[in-house]
Amino acid sequence: MSDKPGTTSAGPAGPAGPAGRAGSAGPRPEPIRFFGTTWVDHGGGYAVRRAAVTIGSLVAIAVSCLVLRFAYEGLEIAAVGGFVTGLVVVMFAVCSALAFRHTWAGYTKRHAPDSQSALRGLLTIGFVGTLTAYFFRSLTEAPGEGLHRKEHETTPHRTRN
């Protein structure tokens, strides 16, 4: 036994490993946020999780748009002028469109880590686009499930000695 509570000498996930399959010789699936590894066999409340993620992302989009509306009203109250207000609106629209495209493409192929860190600011400003892409993808699958499934199925199976 280990000194840490909740762990055994076999590790934190027990003898079966993180995938929960004792003696499995295949590759372990990579967990997806909010879904864990339930995307593999669509068990463990997968349908309920997908419904919750879809509704949650739609609520997050609505709240985000409300926050942007308050920001717009703040610009009107500050009387910064039409040019600055227009620039802010265009900036959020363009960043949201680019964030949507980048996030949507990330569900079918992995992005290079350098591009992810370089676009962090744009993705933060375009958070509505990211949430929208997440919402639309969650209507058909767990966001990222197709990419993870393709990678999981093409990973060569390891044999135990």
Side-chain angles (χ1 to χ4, degrees), residues 58-144:
L58 189 60
V59 168
I61 291 169
V63 169
S64 299
C65 289
L66 186 64
V67 167
L68 288 177
R69 175 67 185 163
F70 288 146
Y72 179 80
E73 288 177 0
L75 291 173
E76 285 184 345
I77 291 170
V80 294
F83 180 72
V84 172
T85 302
L87 280 177
V88 169
V89 168
V90 168
M91 176 200 60
F92 274 107
V94 169
C95 288
S96 291
L98 291 172
F100 178 91
R101 184 182 177 283
H102 181 77
T103 304
W104 192 261
Y107 295 136
T108 56
K109 65 178 177 141
R110 294 231 183 239
H111 295 296
D114 293 341
S115 71
Q116 283 292 98
S117 62
L119 293 175
R120 187 169 290 135
L122 179 128
L123 295 174
T124 302
I125 294 169
F127 61 97
V128 174
T130 301
L131 290 170
T132 304
Y134 198 85
F135 167 73
F136 282 123
R137 182 56 78 165
S138 68
L139 292 174
T140 58
E141 68 177 10

Side-chain angles (χ1 to χ4, degrees), residues 16-68:
R21 291 182 272 192
S24 173
R28 292 189 178 116
E30 186 178 337
I32 297 176
R33 181 180 297 161
F34 304 124
F35 293 93
T37 56
T38 61
W39 61 268
V40 176
D41 59 0
H42 291 185
Y46 173 83
V48 173
R49 290 175 191 224
R50 261 210 28 226
V53 162
T54 302
I55 292 167
S57 59
L58 189 60
V59 168
I61 291 169
V63 169
S64 299
C65 289
L66 186 64
V67 167
L68 288 177

